[in-house]
Amino acid sequence: MESTHVKGGSAMATYTSNRAATQLRRRAAWTALVRTFKPGTPGLARRIGAIPRMVGATLRGRYDGKSRMTMMLVSAAYIVSPIDFVPEGILLFIGLVDDAAVAAWFAGALLDETERFLEWEKRQQAVPGEVIG
């Protein structure tokens, strides 16, 4: 959703593009959270319990989540780090928005990835010829 009616620079286009990306990340996080409570999907406790197994399977090379786990680790480090791309001390509201956007992406990515891992785990336990419900 980049603005095409920009005169005298790209600041407004960048702002519009960043705002759209933030809204998509936030929507993805909310969608993942809502999906957590739908019947037939793994609940929050089950997903949280799967995190250590997911990390272990990824480190052993059995699960293909290395790039996603790396991005989640980087985003978690960014959230807790005192170093910020947009410091809150200078640009209070915008500084908080960038942290919130990263946190929303992290939450959505973690919920999505744990659901994907649990499905992968279920397929690994399947016996050939057996129907998985």
Side-chain angles (χ1 to χ4, degrees), residues 24-38 41-44 47 72 103-116:
L24 285 174
R25 284 190 296 265
R26 194 177 320 130
R27 189 174 305 135
W30 281 112
T31 301
L33 182 62
V34 168
R35 198 171 53 241
T36 301
F37 299 106
K38 282 190 175 182
T41 61
L44 192 57
R47 290 170 192 249
M72 286 188 278
W105 179 86
F106 175 78
L110 185 62
L111 291 170
D112 279 342
E113 195 59 28
T114 53
E115 183 173 357
R116 194 171 88 81

Side-chain angles (χ1 to χ4, degrees), residues 97-109:
V97 168
D98 86 310
D99 287 347
V102 172
W105 179 86
F106 175 78

Side-chain angles (χ1 to χ4, degrees), residues 34-84:
V34 168
R35 198 171 53 241
T36 301
F37 299 106
K38 282 190 175 182
T41 61
L44 192 57
R46 190 161 168 232
R47 290 170 192 249
I48 291 170
I51 293 172
R53 295 192 314 274
M54 180 174 69
V55 170
T58 301
L59 292 175
R60 287 190 299 278
R62 294 183 57 228
Y63 180 64
D64 70 344
K66 187 179 268 186
S67 63
R68 288 176 293 277
M69 301 264 306
T70 301
M71 289 302 296
M72 286 188 278
L73 182 63
V74 168
S75 66
Y78 180 78
I79 293 167
V80 300
S81 170
I83 299 170
D84 232 337

Side-chain angles (χ1 to χ4, degrees), residues 83-131:
I83 299 170
D84 232 337
F85 289 125
V86 182
E88 284 84 7
I90 298 170
L91 302 166
L92 180 65
F93 181 72
I94 296 171
L96 292 174
V97 168
D98 86 310
D99 287 347
V102 172
W105 179 86
F106 175 78
L110 185 62
L111 291 170
D112 279 342
E113 195 59 28
T114 53
E115 183 173 357
R116 194 171 88 81
F117 174 76
L118 288 166
E119 286 297 318
W120 173 84
E121 208 172 39
K122 189 187 300 184
R123 286 191 308 272
Q124 299 305 305
Q125 297 170 353
V127 176
E130 185 178 315
V131 176

